[in-house]
Structures are given as C-alpha cells and as structure tokens.
Amino acid sequence: MQNSHEPATAAGLAHVTARLDKACHEAGRAAGSVTLIAVSKTFETDAIRPVLDAGQRVFGENRVQEAQKKWPNLARAYPGTELHLIGPLQSNKTREAVALFDAIHSLDRESLAAELAKEIARAEGSRAAPRLFVQVNTGAEPQKAGVLPEEADAFVEACREKHRLAIEGLMCIPPADENPAPHFALLEKIARRNGLSGLSMGMSGDFETAVQFGATHVRVGSAIFGGRPPITG
Ligand SMILES: *Cc1c(COP(=O)(O)O)cnc(C)c1O
C-alpha cells in the first residue's frame, strides 16, 4: 500500500547522510569522500527496500547466512548494490562469503587469510575478489575479534607476502564504554605506517568523530534503521 509519509528508514538515511556531509565539511574533507555502509543486520527486506529506493547502494551485514537469505534477490533488483561483511567470518563459511560479499571487514587470523586466498583463487574469473580489511582489536578486549595493535604490522605483512592478498585497509570497533577518538587515531596510525588507505571505523554514535580521524568507510545501522532487539545467546 502506498503511504504518503516517507518510510522511517528513508528518513533515517536522509538524516545520517546530512550528518555525514556536515562531518566531512567540518573535517575539511570533500563531501562524498566517506563511504556510508548502511548496516541492515537483523532487518527484513521490507525495511531495507525504502533505503535502496532512496538511492543507498552500500550495505553491511554481520552474518553470512542471514545475508544469503536476504540479499541475492534484492541485489539483483537494485543494480550496483555492494555488500560488506562486517561481522566475524568462520573459516568454513569462506566460500559463501567470497561468493556473496564485495568487501570483508573482519580478516583477523592467518587461518582465515589462507582460506580466503584459496577461495579467491578458486572464484577467479567468475567474480572480483572481495576487498579486504584487517580487523584490529584496538582496545585489546578479550571478548572481541581482531588482531592486537602490536600484532597488526606483522599480520598485514603475512597477508600480503605469504598469502598474496591485497589489503585495502583496517577496521576497528572501539570499546563501548570508552572515548572512541584514541582508538580511531591508533587505527589511522597503524594504517598509515603500513601504506593502507582504507579506514573502516565509526558507527551510529561516533561516526562524526571517525570522519575527523580519517574514516573512509563508516558503518551505520541503528541511526538509519532504528533500534535492534538486544542480542541473545
Ligand atoms: C552492528 C554493527 C555496526 C552498526 O552499529 P550501529 O550502532 O547500529 O550503527 C557497525 N559495525 C559493526 C561491526 C556492527 O556489528
């Protein structure tokens, strides 16, 4: 049924886009220099479609299986759609991930680098390799994925030299209860010294700060789609 009101998610997108443009302006960066990844995890296609209709084409999901269910048909219906995996990747899901995602932000261990190299080689010719971001656990939180900051240089080198993977950048999720700025600064420093141009950092609550620190990709969910039910289990 047609509704005269703008759907809530399209309004959320417009609001976030305006915030992002303002943050770019204030940081002295060109509007459009930061890629907005609309994080649609947990949301059904009915909530996602208005965001696609409003022109957004880059989306993030954190589970391979959920994305497999939701995205192939949607992506066909909206040419140019780009899908980013932002959640942890189990090695046994690597083949599916390489087939579905245009970018993977959660590369954090050598066994996964080896699997990715194998599956990318296997898919060569049929599909462009997903762009890869190494996740860094900037807060060294025991429950969080990512390589430790002091291990990041060696890990990036192993990905490049041993596994022959092209690495686009780094990703982090700062500790929830801390000022994110030092974490963004640390990620930028590690990226710079490793010659990496991509910085995937900043979420609904802190993406303006991330833009100040050089984010090239911000991952924004709830500010576009609304709140998610709490994670259980
Ligand atoms: C869910 C999620 C986001 C988006 O979080 P919001 O606070 O809803 O914007 C960003 N990055 C990762 C890795 C996530 O899992």
Side-chain angles (χ1 to χ4, degrees):
M1 205 179 79
Q2 282 298 315
N3 189 320
S4 62
H5 296 286
E6 190 180 19
T9 55
L13 175 70
H15 185 60
V16 166
T17 303
R19 276 173 63 188
L20 187 55
D21 285 350
K22 184 163 177 272
C24 286
H25 179 74
E26 285 172 2
R29 301 179 58 186
S33 62
V34 181
T35 299
L36 171 63
I37 302 173
V39 177
S40 51
K41 67 185 184 194
T42 78
F43 287 94
E44 302 293 338
T45 52
D46 284 352
I48 300 171
R49 231 179 245 111
V51 177
L52 283 156
D53 286 334
Q56 175 68 20
R57 285 295 178 275
V58 185
F59 289 84
E61 289 282 343
N62 71 337
R63 288 165 189 255
V64 176
Q65 263 171 322
E66 183 185 338
Q68 274 177 321
K69 280 195 213 128
K70 280 155 59 173
W71 277 101
N73 285 333
L74 264 187
R76 258 192 298 281
Y78 292 87
T81 297
E82 219 182 84
L83 210 52
H84 292 232
L85 179 65
I86 60 169
L89 177 55
Q90 290 169 273
S91 296
N92 64 4
K93 295 265 167 53
T94 308
R95 183 169 301 178
E96 287 95 328
V98 166
L100 184 62
F101 290 98
D102 300 287
I104 295 172
H105 293 237
S106 48
L107 173 52
D108 66 352
R109 56 195 190 280
E110 269 215 65
S111 57
L112 181 57
E115 275 304 310
L116 280 167
K118 192 177 88 187
E119 295 301 338
I120 287 169
R122 194 179 160 274
E124 209 182 318
S126 64
R127 181 164 167 76
R131 286 139 49 206
L132 301 176
F133 291 77
V134 167
Q135 184 173 351
V136 181
N137 185 358
T138 56
E141 295 172 280
Q143 82 285 7
K144 207 164 260 177
V147 299
L148 292 170
E150 62 269 27
E151 294 168 349
D153 296 0
F155 182 70
V156 169
E157 184 180 310
C159 288
R160 286 166 161 168
E161 302 302 323
K162 189 167 159 202
H163 302 288
R164 297 283 160 198
L165 291 170
I167 304 297
E168 175 162 327
L170 304 178
M171 179 272 234
C172 76
I173 309 170
D177 54 353
E178 282 182 29
N179 174 5
H183 296 274
F184 296 152
L186 175 60
L187 199 71
E188 192 277 333
K189 190 171 122 192
I190 298 171
R192 187 153 26 94
R193 71 175 180 238
N194 285 283
L196 294 165
S197 59
L199 282 172
S200 167
M201 57 190 199
M203 318 201 321
S204 290
D206 58 16
F207 69 82
E208 285 100 338
T209 307
V211 167
Q212 276 172 25
F213 284 89
T216 59
H217 294 72
V218 294
R219 310 177 309 267
V220 181
S222 49
I224 297 171
F225 291 99
R228 291 177 297 270
I231 300 161
T232 52

